[in-house]
Amino acid sequence: MTPEQMEQAEERDVVEFVDDEGNTLLLEVMDYFFYNGEEFAALCDAKDEDDEGVYIMKINSFTDENGEEMEEFVPPEEELMEKLISIVQTRFDGEDDEDEE
């Protein structure tokens, strides 16, 4: 990423991922939420605003060797996905209702 893209990513809360095939994917955090005491994020494609796909990732927080707080985005356990999808749908349905008022 260029320095300009990095600055925009920080402003928009964009996270860079690399898929299994080595392709870079930029995802923008749409929302953070907690479930059973664990933090999760709903993300969308940062480049393609027409793509309505949503990714759900678990956030693991840790302190690196320099004492800096870091976050790691990892796929949640498969057995949680149905519940997490339901939570995200409910949260976004509620936002749509607020936008219409």
Side-chain angles (χ1 to χ4, degrees):
M1 270 199 267
T2 66
E4 184 178 290
Q5 289 173 319
M6 290 292 286
E7 185 176 321
Q8 289 174 344
E10 288 174 12
E11 289 175 14
R12 292 177 45 208
D13 209 0
V14 175
V15 183
E16 184 175 319
F17 292 91
V18 178
D19 68 15
D20 294 337
E21 298 162 5
N23 300 313
T24 300
L25 183 63
L26 294 177
L27 298 178
E28 181 175 1
V29 177
M30 301 163 53
D31 192 20
Y32 291 98
F33 63 97
F34 285 88
Y35 176 70
N36 284 346
E38 296 181 307
E39 188 175 17
F40 295 88
L43 305 103
C44 65
D45 190 323
K47 292 181 182 178
D48 186 359
E49 294 179 14
D50 294 330
D51 182 3
E52 295 185 13
V54 175
Y55 302 85
I56 300 173
M57 301 295 275
K58 180 179 172 184
I59 301 173
N60 292 330
S61 298
F62 62 95
T63 304
D64 71 4
E65 61 274 356
N66 298 323
E68 193 172 327
E69 281 290 316
M70 304 292 291
E71 291 181 336
E72 174 184 42
F73 289 73
V74 296
E77 295 83 18
E78 191 65 36
E79 59 270 6
L80 285 179
M81 284 305 292
E82 189 173 317
K83 181 62 179 170
L84 297 174
I85 289 168
S86 174
I87 291 168
V88 170
Q89 287 175 331
T90 300
R91 292 174 72 87
F92 288 122
D93 285 346
E95 285 181 11
D96 290 343
D97 293 343
E98 292 173 12
D99 290 342
E100 292 175 8
E101 293 177 6

